[in-house]
Amino acid sequence: AERGGRRAELHKMAAAGAEAAAEEEKRLPEGDPESGGDSDDEGDSDSSGDGEDEEKENEAEIQRLEEQLSINAFDYNCHLDLIKLLRQEGELVKLRRARQKMSELFPLTEEIWLDWLKDEIKMASEISEREKVYELFERAVKDYICPEIWLEYAQYSIGGIGQEGGIERVRSIFERALTAVGLHVTKGTALWEAYREFENAILETAQPAPGSIPSPEQQQVLCSQLEKIHTLFRRQLGIPLLDMEASYAEYEEWSEEPIPETTIKNYKKALQQLEKCKPYEEALLGAETPKLAEYQAYIDFEMKAGDPARIQLIYERALAENCLVPDLWARYNQYLDRQLKVKELVLSAHDRAVRNCPWTVGLWIRYLLAMERHRVEHSIISEMFEKALNAGFIQATDYVEIWQAYLDYLRRRVDFTQDSSKELEELRSAFARAVEYLKQEVEERFSESGDPSCTIMQNWARVEARLCNNMQKARELWDNIMTKGNAKYANMWLEYYNLERAHGDTQHCRKALHRAVQCTSDYPEHVCEVLLTLERIEGTLEDWDAAVQKTENRLARVNEQRAKAAEKEAALAKQEEERAEQRKQARAEKKASKKAKKTRTGDKRKADEDDEGEWGQEEAELPSKRLRGEGDGVLPEEDMEVETGLFGRSEKPDGPAAPKEKASTSRKDIPKVFHDSSKDKVTVFVSNLSYTMAEPEAKLRELFASCGEVVEVRAVFNNKGTFRGYCYVQFREEEAARQALALDRTAVEGRPMFVSPCVDKNKNPDFKVFRYSTTLEKHKLFISGLPFSCTKEELEEVCKAHGNVKDIRLVTNRAGKPKGLAYVEYENEAQASQAVLKMDGLTVKDHVIKVMISNPPLRKLPERPGPSYAPLPLPRQSYGARGKGRTQLSMVPRALQRQSNPVAKAENGMVQNSPAASSEPPAEPKKMSNADFAKMLLKK
């Protein structure tokens, strides 16, 4: 009886599907609040006026958003804002067009698709309109694997079971849904139950009338329908899904026959698999967005199991929540390319990847390779390449990479056994277009072509020489390469020489090397050696003599230029030393004049403190006078072993407070206390404090009390008793010391306080403390040129218009004063790249700011010993991430390099021949003229 009542209920649900769909068709969108329809209740005249004003504002905003999208169609947030406003205003035609444009550029999220589908369902009254809704559902299920959209699709199709083939259509949609998301551990059960309920309703309608005997045909239909439901139960119970026990109990109750042993065995196996999956599902349930680590662990688990369907599903689940993570798309596509190799599945995933992350050139390259691998038509691949060029890459080198990938594809299409072909002409035309594109489009946008070494032209020359046997064209290309500023570099000449050697003739090889000797400025010795080697093997006596003379003359000029560079560098170094000595003398005179002006009857102690505090604070702000260890938890060398501080000041004195001048004396008399390195783990190093801070121990004890119990605060003073701006804070527990590190950069008396671990740098010379990344971060921006008065709130107001801002950091100096620089972190790379395009060159308070992706330059390393010969200074400057960098090559000839051990010198600065070094200090070398240098080098 219960089973019959349930079947009747299911039958009513399925039968009511068509009626519900019809009712939805009759509804007018104007009556729905979300579609912008008018309300039945009208307000007074004031509210009506307010509504008109709001409507005008919305219309103006809609117009502004449409204009902005006409400029940059890839502005994701602008699309969302426009759709939201149009839906609010009830502009259904414009709303449909706006959604259509966005769906062509980006895969839409589950929420956007469901809103769109619901709006279209309400307006679909005719059969033709219902077909358009079916087409929209088909597009929706291709963007992401979403159980909710599949369930909505299946339920909507039930409303059309009255049409011809309606039941088979519903079953087909359900089967596709189960294939796509039926394995979803947490959401798959809903689809299986909906499918069974539909089949139960069909079974109920096939039952004969009460009291009648079913005909053989009816009996056959009933048996077939019962078998369909049995099959659905058995299929579901073999899959690990949540609430499997309830489904098993329902099957036992529904089935009039015992459950087969095979089904029970599969059910128990699925239960065991579910127990293995539960920890990963629980981790996802408790994790916060974006859950990348949890999803990666789940993916690794499924990869070990090796079920392709489950691996694909967990990847799709991860991408639905992290659709803007290029690395995740890359790993998924790599798995599909190497394991599944199903054309439709592979190409669909690649297409969704580039639509979600169009700024990532690696995804476009993989897409082109996948299309070539699956033999997609040439016109479609070319069309996809054109889309890649318009994707808006964030680096000039990205355009070089995508062009190179496309040219590789075109080269593989050519049959080089034929002298001429359509494919070969297309390849040559593409090479020429690539060179022109980098010169025009890319260089105009990035102020560089991205291909300074002309790698595309080099590859073109190789194709012409090796595959087309057209050495004349290759020489023309290399001549063009050299005229673009590459003639200075030995490696470029040697590359051309190797190509000429392999496919050309000796005459052109000799000609190229003679030009290389004349033009090379970085490593001319190498080119000279190659020329002499060529003439030694293939040249005549006249060729050898000419080569020797040319190389000797060139190397003589090189040595002369190096000597001049060394002389200039030495002069600059001497000038810098003189300026440093002048600054030192000026500071000494200033200090002496201040002391002379002191009043003898005044408080000497107070005068000393004021003087030392003012001078010390000034030194703290000078970069050249920064104390070793400040800001990185390292004690100055003289203070690492002993600390001259009042370590016992935290105790209460027995007698009354002593006068201030006596406190100075007491500080001087306190013995040095050795640093106890065994307590480093419970101690933090605090620096960059104000020299004039009164009672630093008490103030810091109060400041760090929130982190844990403070055992001791050891402030460091100089011999005059003046606070040196840094101290040590010792805690009772190690956890408290770790929590104290969170107070780093806290403002204390107008200065940022530096808090870092207490580490002995003598034992850990490589220890560094830097809170921020020093590598490329594509989701973070570096902004320069900001006015010093710009606040964090003002900058956030400017930046949040282009995406969700996670963090803003204004860069300050050690005194806490702004430097006009800032770092802005967005949620993802897409928002950051959009912000670069929109904000670079923007004017903020009459200051033009520069905006770029955060890529800090590498810190300068100590100079290493150079090569056996010192090359000429490179005229070409290598550009870093944010500016020009200087070469670190040595400019001093070996003859002038200082010896590590002092030896006796003659008056002209040359080392004497005597092997014994004189005990007297070496004489100051006299300045030499160019002629003196020439004589010296010739003698050498």
Side-chain angles (χ1 to χ4, degrees):
E2 293 177 358
R3 201 159 51 242
R6 176 174 175 78
R7 290 176 181 175
E9 181 182 352
L10 295 174
H11 168 65
K12 291 179 181 177
M13 181 203 72
E19 298 178 3
E23 290 178 2
E24 288 184 348
E25 291 171 5
K26 294 177 182 178
R27 293 181 193 169
L28 295 177
E30 290 78 9
D32 183 26
E34 293 182 347
S35 63
D38 297 332
S39 174
D40 294 335
D41 298 330
E42 296 183 0
D44 54 18
S45 58
D46 293 338
S47 62
S48 177
D50 294 340
E52 292 178 359
D53 294 340
E54 183 180 357
E55 184 177 353
K56 291 181 180 179
E57 291 178 1
N58 290 340
E59 290 178 358
E61 181 66 11
I62 290 172
Q63 185 176 359
R64 185 191 69 81
L65 291 172
E66 289 176 342
E67 293 176 355
Q68 188 170 345
L69 286 175
S70 65
I71 299 173
N72 180 17
F74 288 92
D75 192 332
Y76 189 87
N77 292 326
C78 190
H79 280 285
L80 292 181
D81 295 339
L82 178 61
I83 290 173
K84 182 179 179 181
L85 273 177
L86 290 174
R87 196 163 190 252
Q88 179 181 339
E89 291 296 314
E91 297 284 349
L92 301 179
V93 177
K94 290 184 178 180
L95 176 61
R96 180 181 293 169
R97 187 164 55 244
R99 284 167 167 164
Q100 182 69 26
K101 288 182 178 179
M102 185 177 182
S103 66
E104 292 173 358
L105 296 174
F106 304 100
L108 304 185
T109 63
E110 179 182 328
E111 293 77 11
I112 298 176
W113 272 120
L114 289 175
D115 288 340
W116 189 358
L117 290 167
K118 290 176 181 177
D119 290 344
E120 294 293 341
I121 288 173
K122 294 171 186 175
M123 294 184 289
S125 57
E126 302 294 334
I127 297 178
S128 59
E129 293 176 346
R130 288 184 61 85
E131 290 300 323
K132 291 182 179 179
V133 176
Y134 281 120
E135 294 175 3
L136 200 61
F137 269 114
E138 290 295 331
R139 291 173 54 189
V141 296
K142 290 179 181 178
D143 276 356
Y144 299 106
I145 291 184
C146 299
E148 287 80 2
I149 293 180
W150 275 110
L151 188 59
E152 187 75 20
Y153 190 10
Q155 290 177 348
Y156 178 73
S157 66
I158 292 176
I161 58 176
Q163 302 174 7
E164 183 179 355
I167 294 178
E168 294 303 321
R169 186 173 197 170
V170 174
R171 285 173 176 160
S172 172
I173 292 173
F174 267 118
E175 288 294 336
R176 291 172 55 201
L178 292 180
T179 303
V181 293
L183 299 179
H184 199 297
V185 177
T186 58
K187 298 182 180 181
T189 304
L191 270 168
W192 287 99
E193 291 180 350
Y195 196 2
R196 287 203 318 272
E197 289 173 358
F198 168 74
E199 295 294 352
N200 271 310
I202 299 299
L203 175 64
E204 186 65 24
T205 59
Q207 292 286 353
S212 63
I213 300 175
S215 64
E217 292 79 7
Q218 290 178 331
Q219 191 66 33
Q220 184 178 0
V221 170
L222 286 173
C223 293
S224 173
Q225 189 63 28
L226 284 171
E227 185 61 29
K228 285 185 174 66
I229 300 174
H230 276 290
T231 303
L232 282 177
F233 267 118
R234 293 166 186 169
R235 288 169 59 189
Q236 179 184 355
L237 293 176
I239 299 173
L241 300 172
L242 289 183
D243 297 331
M244 290 185 64
E245 297 84 354
S247 299
Y248 184 80
E250 183 181 349
Y251 188 29
E252 282 184 319
E253 179 185 355
W254 180 85
S255 177
E256 298 177 354
E257 301 174 358
I259 299 178
E261 288 296 327
T262 305
T263 303
I264 297 175
K265 183 178 178 180
N266 292 336
Y267 167 68
K268 292 181 179 179
K269 185 178 179 181
L271 274 179
Q272 294 176 356
Q273 180 70 15
L274 179 62
E275 292 301 318
K276 296 178 181 179
C277 295
K278 273 186 177 180
Y280 299 98
E281 293 290 346
E282 291 171 357
L284 288 174
L285 188 62
E288 297 181 357
T289 306
K291 308 179 184 179
L292 275 174
E294 290 77 13
Y295 271 119
Q296 188 57 52
Y298 207 163
I299 290 171
D300 294 340
F301 164 73
E302 294 292 359
M303 291 286 282
K304 291 179 181 178
D307 186 345
R310 298 192 64 82
I311 295 172
Q312 180 192 356
L313 179 62
I314 190 59
Y315 263 120
E316 291 287 354
R317 288 177 59 184
L319 288 167
E321 296 190 44
N322 299 276
C323 58
L324 300 179
V325 180
D327 291 340
L328 187 59
W329 280 109
R331 291 195 295 270
Y332 181 39
N333 290 336
Q334 182 178 355
Y335 170 76
L336 295 178
D337 287 333
R338 296 181 179 180
Q339 302 297 328
L340 295 188
K341 301 180 182 180
V342 180
K343 178 179 178 180
E344 292 75 12
L345 186 61
V346 169
L347 296 182
S348 173
H350 280 287
D351 182 69
R352 290 185 291 139
V354 297
R355 289 172 66 199
N356 274 287
C357 307
W359 64 89
T360 307
V361 67
L363 297 178
W364 287 100
I365 293 174
R366 291 185 180 92
Y367 194 8
L368 294 178
L369 290 172
M371 293 170 65
E372 181 184 4
R373 195 176 294 119
H374 290 281
R375 304 186 183 281
V376 177
E377 292 182 7
H378 172 60
S379 59
I380 298 177
I381 297 179
S382 299
E383 182 181 352
M384 192 57 59
F385 168 71
E386 296 297 333
K387 289 183 179 180
L389 289 181
N390 297 321
F393 300 131
I394 59 179
Q395 299 182 39
T397 54
D398 293 344
Y399 288 93
V400 179
E401 293 180 24
I402 192 66
W403 266 111
Q404 192 58 64
Y406 183 59
L407 292 170
D408 292 343
Y409 156 70
L410 293 179
R411 194 266 306 162
R412 289 189 285 267
R413 296 182 67 243
V414 179
D415 181 7
F416 289 99
T417 59
Q418 302 178 7
D419 294 337
S420 179
S421 64
K422 179 181 177 182
E423 290 79 9
L424 179 58
E425 294 304 319
E426 184 179 3
L427 174 62
R428 285 172 172 163
S429 175
F431 268 118
R433 183 190 168 199
V435 173
E436 188 66 20
Y437 186 90
L438 295 177
K439 180 180 178 181
Q440 299 287 340
E441 303 289 338
V442 178
E443 193 166 352
E444 179 180 350
R445 177 180 172 187
F446 296 97
S447 301
E448 58 169 326
S449 67
D451 191 16
S453 299
C454 301
T455 54
I456 288 182
M457 294 184 69
Q458 289 188 46
N459 291 331
W460 188 2
R462 294 188 190 102
V463 169
E464 294 289 353
R466 297 176 183 176
L467 302 177
C468 300
N469 298 319
N470 189 354
M471 197 61 205
Q472 182 61 34
K473 179 63 176 179
R475 293 184 185 115
E476 293 176 3
L477 290 170
W478 267 105
D479 185 67
N480 194 5
I481 292 171
M482 292 304 182
T483 58
K484 293 183 180 296
N486 292 297
K488 311 181 186 78
Y489 307 111
N491 67 316
M492 299 296 288
W493 283 108
L494 296 179
E495 185 72 27
Y496 170 47
Y497 167 75
N498 291 331
L499 186 68
E500 191 72 60
R501 189 75 172 158
H503 306 284
D505 52 55
T506 305
Q507 180 182 356
H508 283 91
C509 289
R510 182 178 291 112
K511 182 179 179 181
L513 289 177
H514 276 273
R515 289 179 60 194
V517 170
Q518 189 69 25
C519 300
T520 301
S521 59
D522 55 352
Y523 298 102
E525 292 89 346
H526 196 180
V527 176
C528 292
E529 182 181 352
V530 174
L531 175 59
L532 294 176
T533 301
L534 174 68
E535 301 301 356
R536 181 176 285 112
I537 296 174
E538 299 189 15
T540 63
L541 178 60
E542 291 78 9
D543 294 333
W544 172 262
D545 290 339
V548 170
Q549 183 179 358
K550 193 175 190 69
T551 55
E552 286 180 350
N553 293 338
R554 176 58 177 161
L555 292 178
R557 290 196 303 271
V558 168
N559 291 331
E560 183 179 353
Q561 293 174 11
R562 288 173 178 166
K564 290 181 180 179
E567 183 181 2
K568 184 177 180 181
E569 184 177 351
L572 291 175
K574 186 175 181 180
Q575 292 177 6
E576 184 62 29
E577 290 178 1
E578 291 176 354
R579 285 196 292 267
E581 186 65 28
Q582 291 174 2
R583 289 194 297 266
K584 183 177 179 181
Q585 186 176 358
R587 287 196 296 268
E589 292 176 356
K590 182 178 178 180
K591 190 172 182 179
S593 63
K594 286 184 178 181
K595 288 183 178 181
K597 293 179 181 179
K598 291 178 183 178
T599 306
R600 299 195 180 196
T601 59
D603 187 350
K604 188 174 184 303
R605 168 65 189 148
K606 184 176 184 303
D608 287 343
E609 285 187 349
D610 292 341
D611 176 61
E612 190 64 31
E614 181 182 356
W615 176 242
Q617 195 70 22
E618 182 180 348
E619 281 192 337
E621 296 180 5
L622 291 173
S624 61
K625 291 297 182 181
R626 178 180 176 180
L627 293 173
R628 282 185 55 203
E630 286 194 14
D632 58 1
V634 183
L635 189 67
E637 186 176 352
E638 65 272 16
D639 291 322
M640 196 64 208
E641 297 179 357
V642 291
E643 302 172 10
T644 57
L646 299 182
F647 297 158
R649 289 191 60 197
S650 59
E651 300 178 1
K652 295 183 179 181
D654 296 336
K660 194 173 183 179
E661 57 270 15
K662 292 185 178 181
S664 174
T665 304
S666 65
R667 289 174 184 149
K668 296 178 184 178
D669 296 339
I670 287 213
K672 294 181 178 180
V673 180
F674 288 92
H675 177 74
D676 187 359
S677 59
S678 64
K679 298 181 181 179
D680 284 350
K681 292 186 178 180
V682 294
T683 305
V684 294
F685 179 73
V686 183
S687 60
N688 202 44
L689 299 171
S690 174
Y691 282 22
T692 59
M693 179 182 289
E695 298 296 332
E697 294 95 333
K699 188 169 185 64
L700 293 178
R701 182 180 290 274
E702 179 183 355
L703 184 62
F704 286 97
S706 59
C707 302
E709 182 181 354
V710 178
V711 176
E712 190 175 22
V713 177
R714 304 194 298 272
V716 181
F717 298 84
N718 62 11
N719 293 332
K720 294 183 179 180
T722 303
F723 181 44
R724 296 189 61 179
Y726 61 92
C727 64
Y728 299 83
V729 180
Q730 179 182 336
F731 294 89
R732 180 74 63 189
E733 298 177 354
E734 186 176 343
E735 178 62 27
R738 283 196 293 266
Q739 292 183 10
L741 297 177
L743 297 179
D744 185 38
R745 299 307 197 275
T746 301
V748 178
E749 296 189 0
R751 295 173 63 85
M753 174 182 67
F754 297 159
V755 183
S756 53
C758 185
V759 176
D760 186 351
K761 197 170 184 180
N762 293 329
K763 299 179 182 178
N764 301 274
D766 297 330
F767 176 77
K768 295 288 183 184
V769 173
F770 191 67
R771 294 175 57 191
Y772 308 104
S773 174
T774 58
T775 58
L776 175 66
E777 296 179 281
K778 294 185 178 181
H779 67 290
K780 186 180 292 186
L781 304 183
F782 172 75
I783 304 178
S784 60
L786 290 169
F788 292 161
S789 60
C790 182
T791 63
K792 183 176 180 180
E793 291 74 17
E794 292 173 342
L795 182 58
E796 183 179 5
E797 190 67 26
V798 175
C799 298
K800 71 180 183 180
H802 311 292
N804 296 327
V805 178
K806 293 182 63 178
D807 185 41
I808 293 180
R809 176 168 64 93
L810 296 177
V811 182
T812 61
N813 59 17
R814 297 176 64 82
K817 297 179 181 178
K819 298 174 68 175
L821 309 174
Y823 290 90
V824 180
E825 181 180 357
Y826 282 92
E827 279 192 349
N828 51 60
E829 299 176 17
Q831 296 177 0
S833 61
Q834 292 296 328
V836 170
L837 298 176
K838 300 291 183 59
M839 294 172 56
D840 188 31
L842 189 68
T843 302
V844 177
K845 293 185 178 181
D846 298 330
H847 285 67
V848 179
I849 63 174
K850 293 183 178 180
V851 184
M852 61 194 72
I853 298 296
S854 176
N855 187 16
L858 296 177
R859 293 174 177 257
K860 291 185 179 180
L861 300 175
E863 292 187 359
R864 304 288 183 185
S868 57
Y869 56 86
L872 279 176
L874 295 175
R876 178 188 188 188
Q877 303 230 345
S878 59
Y879 288 80
R882 297 201 185 117
K884 301 179 180 179
R886 283 183 284 176
T887 177
Q888 296 183 358
L889 298 176
S890 174
M891 305 300 178
V892 184
R894 285 180 296 163
L896 297 182
Q897 291 179 358
R898 294 183 179 179
Q899 303 294 328
S900 59
N901 297 324
V903 295
K905 295 184 180 180
E907 291 184 356
N908 62 354
M910 294 297 294
V911 179
Q912 293 181 354
N913 295 329
S914 174
S918 173
S919 60
E920 298 180 1
E924 182 72 14
K926 294 182 179 180
K927 292 185 177 180
M928 295 187 293
S929 64
N930 292 341
D932 294 331
F933 270 111
K935 291 178 182 179
M936 178 188 69
L937 294 172
L938 289 175
K939 290 179 181 179
K940 185 70 176 179

